[in-house]
Amino acid sequence: MSEQLVPVAIEGKRVFSSDDIWSECARMLNSQDIPDYDGILNWQANSNKRIILLLDDIGYYFRRSEKADQYALRGKLNKAGAPIIVASCDKVLPAFTDYDAPFFDGFRLHYLKPVQISSFLNTSGFDCDSSRLERLMDYLPSTIRSLIVAREIMSKSEDRSKDLICLADHFHLYFKEKFDSLNVQAQRLLICLASADTGLTLAGIRSAVHQDNGRISPYLKLMADSKLIRKDGRTPRGSLYTVSDSLFKLWLRIEIVGKA
């Protein structure tokens, strides 16, 4: 009799060590009998099942854990009958490629292409107005998770005029925390840039916030370095500054500026 594969989804933001992976696995299985790695092996053997750990954003684990812990995790995953791990990451980390890294050559890397909306509609069975879906996806990365979020928003209401408001509301807590963590001057500049339909030059920002270049320029540089804003220097009349994340800009326009 072959093993039954059991997928277990784990959110990488909750993982600080390899022990967290096993405890999260137990939590997702809703079982108190498998508090650690050995308990998971026993659970698999007794139930004739094999766990597939679907770890989203594994980069959090590699940034937070020590090398000794990473070596220990790889050793346990390499044991016969151990759970199989499938992980996602937004970029290829040195943890996968550096020769002295514990997981050097430890994963078989697959590069996922952006999801096509037409392919999603053909395979998901979700019947909707494709133009409405495309409008929502203009503010989201081309991933399956984004398409699921967009589908949830469209399923809640048939009023497409409220789609963007619902989208901003879906991410409200995340963007509120992000905005609140910034200093006052950065908040002022973000509101100024979000208020404009297109980018603003330094002169345009100066006119809008009524401050001189000496007060503005250092903050614009810091914000550009941290990817909060984007500087486009291709225009002949001066560089244009815009909010880098279109979804963050949408949230700012709806929640603070007062227009979508």
Side-chain angles (χ1 to χ4, degrees):
M1 181 178 179
S2 62
E3 294 175 322
Q4 178 185 350
L5 299 179
V6 179
V8 176
I10 297 176
E11 172 56 63
K13 296 182 181 66
R14 298 176 62 93
V15 175
F16 292 82
S17 69
S18 58
D19 287 341
D20 290 335
I21 294 176
W22 312 125
S23 61
E24 280 295 296
C25 180
R27 187 177 72 85
M28 296 304 294
L29 290 171
N30 195 27
S31 174
Q32 303 299 320
D33 301 326
I34 50 174
D36 53 22
Y37 172 77
D38 291 331
I40 287 174
L41 292 185
N42 292 333
W43 181 87
Q44 289 186 144
N46 294 333
S47 60
N48 195 39
K49 295 178 180 179
R50 186 85 174 273
I51 292 173
I52 308 292
L53 296 170
L54 304 175
L55 181 52
D56 194 23
D57 290 332
I58 197 174
Y60 283 95
Y61 167 72
F62 286 117
R63 287 191 292 269
R64 295 165 170 172
S65 60
E66 301 292 335
K67 277 191 175 182
D69 187 75
Q70 296 172 24
Y71 275 116
L73 175 61
R74 180 163 184 173
K76 290 178 178 178
L77 291 172
N78 283 339
K79 289 184 178 180
I84 300 169
I85 187 168
V86 178
S88 70
C89 196
D90 60 353
K91 58 185 175 181
V92 178
L93 300 173
F96 309 141
T97 58
D98 285 1
Y99 184 75
D100 62 344
F103 272 84
F104 170 72
D105 206 26
F107 284 99
R108 181 177 296 176
L109 301 180
H110 294 275
Y111 298 90
L112 300 179
K113 296 179 180 179
V115 178
Q116 300 296 318
I117 292 177
S118 58
S119 299
F120 174 75
L121 293 175
N122 290 335
T123 58
S124 67
F126 181 56
D127 185 20
C128 72
D129 180 348
S130 60
S131 64
R132 187 179 173 193
L133 180 58
E134 288 171 356
R135 183 178 182 228
L136 284 167
M137 289 299 295
D138 283 341
Y139 296 91
L140 296 167
S142 299
T143 65
I144 290 293
R145 179 183 292 180
S146 296
L147 285 163
I148 291 173
V149 169
R151 183 176 65 179
E152 290 176 356
I153 289 171
M154 295 172 63
S155 299
K156 290 178 181 178
S157 172
E158 295 183 358
D159 187 354
R160 64 180 298 151
S161 67
K162 297 181 180 179
D163 283 350
L164 296 185
I165 295 175
C166 292
L167 181 62
D169 186 62
H170 183 87
F171 292 94
H172 174 74
L173 293 179
Y174 170 75
F175 285 129
K176 182 180 184 303
E177 182 178 350
K178 182 176 182 177
F179 182 80
D180 290 347
S181 68
L182 300 172
N183 61 57
V184 173
Q185 180 69 339
Q187 292 178 350
R188 178 183 289 114
L189 293 174
L190 277 174
I191 293 172
C192 170
L193 292 173
S195 300
D197 293 333
T198 58
L200 289 175
T201 62
L202 179 59
I205 298 171
R206 184 178 64 238
S207 175
V209 300
H210 307 293
Q211 293 180 342
D212 59 36
N213 290 357
R215 292 287 307 278
I216 299 172
S217 296
Y219 283 96
L220 290 177
K221 184 181 186 307
L222 287 172
M223 293 166 71
D225 290 344
S226 62
K227 310 300 183 184
L228 265 177
I229 64 175
R230 183 175 64 253
K231 179 182 178 181
D232 184 354
R234 291 174 295 178
T235 59
R237 295 186 178 180
S239 298
L240 286 176
Y241 294 88
T242 57
V243 181
S244 298
D245 185 344
S246 59
L247 183 56
F248 189 24
K249 180 178 180 179
L250 177 69
W251 180 85
L252 289 167
R253 288 172 68 88
I254 290 175
E255 295 293 331
I256 300 178
V257 178
K259 60 179 181 179

